[in-house]
């Protein structure tokens, strides 16, 4: 009897010890790594090795990492790190996988099986922003998306792999309307044929609606009407009440997330979980891109991290308490990204691994505990003229092709450069290219053209005109 009793006590103690140990473990996990993930994009030619990069991701205490492929070197290095990993099927493999189960099986066998479970692959994303591309061929891909997801999922299931969620990241342009949030609605060209089957798949498989969501973009498109604090999730001074739902918003991110919730609800899927596959704020940009600075980037990301690591989870006005797995974009500044200057400045780290600004990914650090940030100087949109000229240090040999390209666009773009005309002299490639870039950009900026020319061009507020040669400009 005694023995029995003491035996029971021992068991009880064992259980208590185990519970205590377990709670220590979960507690220390909470301390060690965060619920926050980092997007590890590699579109740079000056980035540290995957080995060093993963060291940085670990030392930043990220809990997850998302890559844009299934690079075997990276996946091998991630084994045993404890990081939860999100991998991706490239867009150009979707149509084959959609049409052939053997190819789906091969993809999983080649890219998942060699690494799983040592590498904790948890999300398998099929494509990247597939519904944002709209050439005829891209449109075909829209309708291959869900079939490809089903096949990948079937492959995983046949291998008895049950803890990898299959999803696909979509951008906010999948919505036809997002304001007010209660008016959120998917685009009519994808709503019935793509979104309904997608939501059905996500609901049945208890996967996530992965969303790339950037308050920076709507704010920077309309900085005079949207409060910057509201876009940065800072303070509650400015609020917005949705007349349709009566819900009160204190920040633009919640508003954008809820517009997707309302759109899903309209199609009959109110309970699909959300994950933020990308968000962030650029820390540098061009003259015509207000608000891209270190100050705003740090404030946005810190506020985001604090919100998404809160325990219990905060959620959104439409989904209070919802836990939203979140990935910050991006680990590095990536110098090989095209488009406006901001595109190359989303990094938490410089290419050499030094932080652009501090951000505690555990979300424990209060704003007052950080060092002070550089004062933002471009929060108000620039007003005046801008020209687009050859960047300093450009190799003249590289200017020929973009010069010809710029001159071949538009109406009389380079008329002033022909012999005898006002900008012909000095006869220098740099001079002619600067004129051509300015003239091209002045005609096409309103249609979305950027002053970039693969990094060979920069914006300037200093008028390059000389004598009778007047450079066309963009007026903001
Ligand atoms: C599917 O792909 C495999 C491997 O390339 C190929 O052998 C097979 O013929 C394909 N099946 C169909 C139905 O196209
Ligand atoms: C979504 O999934 C839930 C839980 O499995 C289920 O109860 C519900 O009927 C599903 N919704 C739809 C529209 O299929
Ligand atoms: C060029 O000029 C013509 C006639 O003025 C006009 O119809 C056309 O839209 C212009 N094209 C561009 C690219 O500005």
């Amino acid at each position: 009897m005694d023995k029995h009793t003491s035996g029971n006590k021992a068991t009880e103690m064992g259980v208590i010890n185990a519970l205590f140990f377990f709670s220590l473990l979960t507690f220390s996990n909470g301390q060690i790594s965060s619920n926050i993930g980092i997007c590890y994009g590699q579109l740079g030619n000056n980035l540290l090795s995957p080995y060093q990069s993963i060291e940085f991701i670990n030392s930043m205490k990220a809990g997850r990492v998302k890559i844009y492929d299934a690079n075997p070197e990276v996946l091998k290095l991630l084994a045993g790190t404890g990081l939860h990993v999100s991998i991706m099927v490239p867009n150009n493999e979707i149509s084959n996988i959609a049409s052939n189960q053997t190819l789906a099986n091969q993809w999983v066998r080649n890219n998942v099986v060699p690494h799983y479970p040592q590498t904790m692959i948890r999300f398998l994303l099929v494509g990247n922003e597939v519904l944002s591309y709209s050439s005829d061929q891209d449109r075909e891909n829209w309708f291959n998306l869900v079939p490809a997801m089903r096949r990948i999922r079937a492959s995983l299931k046949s291998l008895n792999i049950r803890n990898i969620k299959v999803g696909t990241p979509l951008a906010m342009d999948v919505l036809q309307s997002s304001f007010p949030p209660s008016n959120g609605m998917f685009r009519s060209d994808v709503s019935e044929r793509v979104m309904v089957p997608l939501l059905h798949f996500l609901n049945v498989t208890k996967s996530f609606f992965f969303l790339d969501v950037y308050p920076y973009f709507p704010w920077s498109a309309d900085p005079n009407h949207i409060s910057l604090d509201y876009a940065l999730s800072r303070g509650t001074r400015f609020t917005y009440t949705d007349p349709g739902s009566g819900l009160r918003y204190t920040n633009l991110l919640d508003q954008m997330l809820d517009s997707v919730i309302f759109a899903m609800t309209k199609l009959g899927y109110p309970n699909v979980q959300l994950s933020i596959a990308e968000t962030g704020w650029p820390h540098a940009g061009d003259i015509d891109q207000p608000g891209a600075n270190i100050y705003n980037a740090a404030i946005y990301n810190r506020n985001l991290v604090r919100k998404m690591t809160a325990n219990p989870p905060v959620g959104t006005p439409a989904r209070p308490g919802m836990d939203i797995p979140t990935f910050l974009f991006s680990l590095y500044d990536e110098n090989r990204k095209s488009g406006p200057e901001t595109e190359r400045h989303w990094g938490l780290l410089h290419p050499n691994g030094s932080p652009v600004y501090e951000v505690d990914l555990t979300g424990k650090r209060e704003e007052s505990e950080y060092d002070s940030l550089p004062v933002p100087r471009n929060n108000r949109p620039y007003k005046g003229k801008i020209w687009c000229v050859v960047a300093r240090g450009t190799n003249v040999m590289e200017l020929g092709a973009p010069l010809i390209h710029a001159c071949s666009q538009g109406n009389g773009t380079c008329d002033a450069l022909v012999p005898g005309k006002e900008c012909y002299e000095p006869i220098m490639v740099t001079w002619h290219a600067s004129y051509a870039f300015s003239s091209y950009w002045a005609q096409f900026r309103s249609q979305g053209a950027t002053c970039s020319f693969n990094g060979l061009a920069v914006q300037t507020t200093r008028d390059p005109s000389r004598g009778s040669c007047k450079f066309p400009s963009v007026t903001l």
Side-chain angles (χ1 to χ4, degrees), residues 177-469:
S177 63
S178 61
F179 186 83
S182 63
N183 202 25
M185 210 184 315
F186 291 112
R187 266 166 29 207
S188 57
D189 56 354
V190 291
S191 188
E192 283 304 315
R193 286 183 66 194
V194 186
M195 297 317 295
V196 169
L198 175 64
L199 292 170
H200 180 78
F201 174 89
L202 299 175
N203 191 56
V204 168
T205 62
K206 303 204 181 334
S207 183
F208 295 81
F209 189 110
F210 290 92
L211 184 68
D212 294 349
V213 56
Y214 291 98
Y216 168 73
F217 289 123
W219 177 81
S220 67
D222 195 6
N224 293 322
H225 293 103
I226 302 176
S227 150
L228 180 59
D229 283 347
Y230 191 67
L232 295 174
S233 301
R234 183 166 59 176
T236 50
R237 204 160 45 91
F238 182 89
T239 64
Y240 170 74
T241 301
D242 183 330
S245 64
L247 295 172
R248 184 168 157 274
Y249 290 88
T250 59
N251 64 80
L252 187 51
L253 178 65
D254 278 347
Q255 204 182 292
M256 295 168 85
L257 294 173
D258 275 0
S259 64
V260 172
I261 300 277
F262 278 100
M264 296 197 296
T265 303
K266 276 184 198 131
L267 293 185
Y269 294 90
N271 296 317
V272 173
Q273 315 169 79
L274 274 192
S275 171
I276 297 180
E278 285 183 8
T279 190
W281 194 284
H283 64 81
D286 266 325
I287 295 161
D288 65 349
Q289 299 181 293
N293 57 56
I294 288 177
Y295 184 94
N296 294 347
I299 297 291
Y300 177 82
N301 281 329
R302 290 169 186 175
N303 285 341
L304 176 87
V305 168
R306 274 190 287 266
K307 175 183 170 115
M308 295 307 177
T309 53
N311 193 4
V314 182
T316 69
R319 286 265 193 91
M322 167 176 56
D323 186 26
I324 308 173
T326 297
F327 292 87
L328 289 185
F329 189 86
S330 182
L331 181 61
Y332 291 119
D333 276 359
E334 295 169 75
N335 66 0
R336 284 287 173 87
K337 294 195 76 176
S338 59
E341 192 60 22
T342 42
E343 282 300 310
R344 292 171 286 286
H345 300 283
W346 292 92
L348 301 174
L349 304 180
H350 294 292
N352 68 4
S354 66
V356 177
Y357 49 85
E358 291 176 291
V359 50
D360 165 27
L361 297 187
T362 70
K364 302 245 182 313
R365 205 149 150 197
E366 293 300 326
E367 198 50 49
S368 58
E369 297 171 61
Y370 285 103
D371 291 342
S372 62
L373 290 163
V375 177
R377 304 206 179 276
N378 61 351
N379 280 350
R380 283 172 182 276
Y382 172 82
K383 272 201 183 310
K385 291 185 172 181
I386 312 181
W387 292 265
C388 178
V389 297
V390 172
R392 204 175 292 210
T394 295
N395 180 352
V396 178
M397 303 296 289
E398 291 185 74
L399 289 171
L403 170 58
I404 291 167
H405 173 76
C407 290
S408 69
Q409 310 291 311
N411 280 338
T413 304
C414 294
D415 282 1
L417 294 177
V418 300
K421 288 296 181 68
E422 58 275 21
C423 297
Y424 178 58
E425 287 181 11
I427 311 168
M428 287 164 57
V429 178
T430 320
W431 173 254
H432 279 209
S434 284
Y435 181 90
F437 292 170
S438 282
S439 181
Y440 164 86
W441 194 51
Q443 285 185 66
F444 292 105
R445 181 180 179 275
S446 61
Q447 293 156 55
T450 58
C451 168
S452 167
F453 295 94
N454 280 323
L456 300 176
V458 292
Q459 299 178 12
T460 178
T461 55
R462 237 177 56 205
D463 186 356
S465 306
R466 275 192 230 167
S468 61
C469 172

Side-chain angles (χ1 to χ4, degrees), residues 100 102-103 106:
N100 187 329
T102 308
L103 293 178
Q106 271 173 14

